[in-house]
Amino acid sequence: MADAPSEPSLAIRNPRTGLVDHDMPVFSADQVAAVASQLRRQQVAWAASGAAARAASLLRFADAIVAVRSELIDAIAQDTGRYAESVMEVDGTVGAIKRWAVDATALLRAAPASHVARASSMPHISVEQHARPFALVGIISPWNFPLLLSLIDAYPALMAGCAVMVKPSEVTPRFVPVLERALNAVPELTQVLQIVTGAGATGGALVASVDLICFTGSVATGRKVAVQAAQAFIGAHLELGGKDAAVVCASADIARTARSICWASMVNAGQSCMSLERAYVEQSIFEPFVAALVKEVAALKHCWPDIRVGQIGPVISVAQAQIIERHLVDAVAKGAKVLTGGQIKVLGGGLWCEPTVLTHTTADMAIVAEETFAPILPVMAFEGEAQAIELANSTEFGLSACVFSGDIEQAKRIASQLEVGAVSINDASLTALVHDAAKQSFKSSGLGGSRMGAASLQRFYRQQAYLVSNGTDSPWWFRRS
């Protein structure tokens, strides 16, 4: 790994206690550039090593993570203040590494980087198509799933033959030293995968040093990354915020739908871009559905004082807590009715949002229009499919959505008109768990290719063509006098 700078450092807050109890090294622009230069030199041999060798290195990395599993879970739990999701995050990361090592090897075997020459439209010219990996891919990841989202784009990039530099969020950096220990157990991987820590300036230096950027985070920051990438003439793949909607039709199984929507809106304290943040329910079942949902949500407990007991962790970021508070105050002032929850509490110095269900919410409320990133769900009624579709499409976001109906054809009909990259049918937030299908973000929720499915691998190649003459004079040459 890159040598961490001795100074300066950034003080990091603990989300459970509110205390500053960790110092994060900060990489300067010069240090980021030096890491980038080193990675570029070492990428050439990595790309030439072949898919099987790269897969073997990733599999050893997965084993190394398993060896430090308990410590990594504990570090992420300190970063985020929640335990159950930290276990899922570590185990999911190991599973993803293993899946990519196998799947990418098969994909590259089926579609090798260098293709046999074929005839072109010109009889004396043959064509060879070559896929060239980007030398250096940069990744900037957010704080809600610090390990998973630091590495989700790294596996396909590494399998494609790229070197990778990762900048995790400065809000949740405690997991980095443990991850580095696992990485150091695979020396050849440390040559092409390195982590730099810091805040916005470090991220800006990373964008300036790479050939392709993968960013996960807010729309506001994503716009800045996109501008910087455009100025640097590099590609950008952006997975940004969401305001995912659930459409619940009259024929849906009310009890099952309420359980699913409860989980999808409240898991990780709602701190997920694919969290459900709006529910539109057909008027004829609105009252019984809301009653079932409130029963489910009201039963949830904060993971306090025992991190392993309960379901809802703290608000990880103080800045996010301020947004949540603003949204709640605005909603209540404009007439929203709080059916359960509705407050941010201070427990042990940490900030904890109560699991909340709201009704009487309207489109002019920030809690309906803006990303809240909290365990809060406004529930609204609709009459007919056309209105449901109009309401679901009424924000600037287009990440994902879900539709519940006893009629699968109706659900698919509605799904086909939703302006989102993925639609879960009769379940919710499936894209957080099922990564087999390609999807892209719509509207302000992102830019670039799919990070899911086999198509994800192609993001990390540029296409190069060899146009080979057989020695025949070309008919467009200047005629000899």
Side-chain angles (χ1 to χ4, degrees), residues 192-273:
V192 288
L193 174 59
Q194 296 200 15
I195 302 171
V196 296
T197 51
T202 304
L206 182 146
V207 176
S209 300
V210 300
D211 303 308
L212 181 74
I213 183 68
C214 297
F215 171 85
T216 308
S218 70
V219 173
T221 305
R223 290 185 190 278
K224 296 177 183 178
V225 170
V227 168
Q228 188 180 358
Q231 291 172 335
F233 268 69
I234 65 170
H237 298 284
L238 311 177
E239 183 92 353
L240 307 179
K243 193 70 179 177
D244 286 9
V247 175
V248 182
C249 300
S251 58
D253 181 322
I254 290 176
R256 182 180 178 279
T257 301
R259 289 197 302 274
S260 177
I261 288 179
C262 172
W263 176 83
S265 58
M266 303 291 151
V267 67
N268 200 38
Q271 297 167 117
S272 170
C273 56

Side-chain angles (χ1 to χ4, degrees), residues 91-101 155 435:
D91 292 345
T93 296
V94 171
I97 294 172
K98 292 180 176 180
R99 184 176 67 252
W100 266 113
Y155 325 129
H435 296 172

Side-chain angles (χ1 to χ4, degrees), residues 63-352:
D63 291 340
I65 291 176
V66 171
V68 298
R69 177 178 180 272
S70 295
E71 293 173 77
L72 194 52
I73 289 170
D74 288 344
I76 296 171
Q78 290 181 52
D79 271 331
T80 60
R82 38 71 165 171
Y83 185 79
E85 290 92 338
S86 299
V87 174
M88 293 174 62
E89 189 170 350
V90 173
D91 292 345
T93 296
V94 171
I97 294 172
K98 292 180 176 180
R99 184 176 67 252
W100 266 113
V102 173
D103 290 354
T105 302
L107 288 168
L108 292 171
R109 188 184 304 119
S114 180
H115 295 279
V116 176
R118 59 179 175 80
S120 76
S121 57
M122 298 292 179
H124 66 295
I125 303 293
S126 62
V127 174
E128 291 181 20
Q129 198 73 51
H130 295 259
R132 296 282 300 275
F134 287 94
L136 181 56
V137 172
I139 295 172
I140 300 176
S141 61
W143 46 259
N144 55 328
F145 289 98
L147 172 68
L148 187 150
L149 293 176
S150 288
L151 295 179
I152 192 170
D153 293 306
Y155 325 129
L158 289 164
M159 281 304 302
C162 310
V164 177
M165 180 163 48
V166 180
K167 192 206 85 69
S169 170
E170 65 274 19
V171 177
T172 51
R174 295 171 182 82
F175 76 99
V176 171
V178 185
L179 182 63
E180 288 179 344
R181 282 174 42 211
L183 187 54
N184 287 336
V186 191
E188 71 275 17
L189 198 54
T190 66
Q191 302 297 301
V192 288
L193 174 59
Q194 296 200 15
I195 302 171
V196 296
T197 51
T202 304
L206 182 146
V207 176
S209 300
V210 300
D211 303 308
L212 181 74
I213 183 68
C214 297
F215 171 85
T216 308
S218 70
V219 173
T221 305
R223 290 185 190 278
K224 296 177 183 178
V225 170
V227 168
Q228 188 180 358
Q231 291 172 335
F233 268 69
I234 65 170
H237 298 284
L238 311 177
E239 183 92 353
L240 307 179
K243 193 70 179 177
D244 286 9
V247 175
V248 182
C249 300
S251 58
D253 181 322
I254 290 176
R256 182 180 178 279
T257 301
R259 289 197 302 274
S260 177
I261 288 179
C262 172
W263 176 83
S265 58
M266 303 291 151
V267 67
N268 200 38
Q271 297 167 117
S272 170
C273 56
M274 290 178 283
S275 177
L276 280 183
E277 294 208 3
R278 297 172 293 149
Y280 298 105
V281 183
E282 197 154 6
Q283 182 66 63
S284 62
I285 62 164
F286 184 81
E287 294 299 334
F289 173 80
V290 169
L293 178 65
V294 169
K295 182 179 179 181
E296 295 285 340
V297 172
L300 301 176
K301 305 297 182 185
H302 284 131
C303 304
W304 177 265
D306 188 342
I307 194 172
R308 301 194 186 207
V309 176
Q311 301 83 25
I312 307 298
V315 180
I316 298 170
S317 163
V318 172
Q320 195 62 44
Q322 294 168 348
I323 293 172
I324 296 166
E325 182 70 25
R326 174 172 63 83
H327 284 193
L328 284 170
V329 169
D330 173 73
V332 171
K334 292 177 179 175
K337 182 178 180 182
V338 179
L339 301 187
T340 187
Q343 295 183 9
I344 294 179
K345 292 184 174 181
V346 178
L347 300 174
L351 301 172
W352 304 71

Side-chain angles (χ1 to χ4, degrees), residues 369-432:
E370 301 175 15
E371 186 175 36
T372 307
F373 226 58
I376 299 173
L377 186 65
V379 187
M380 295 150 281
F382 71 85
E383 292 278 7
E385 291 181 21
Q387 187 184 30
I389 293 162
E390 180 182 2
L391 291 169
N393 287 337
S394 63
T395 73
E396 68 169 312
F397 301 99
L399 196 60
S400 48
C402 60
V403 181
F404 290 83
S405 174
D407 180 346
I408 292 296
E409 293 308 312
Q410 180 191 36
K412 290 181 179 179
R413 184 169 62 247
I414 293 171
S416 71
Q417 299 173 75
L418 298 181
E419 297 169 350
V420 299
V423 183
S424 301
I425 293 178
N426 287 333
D427 207 336
S429 298
L430 290 179
T431 51

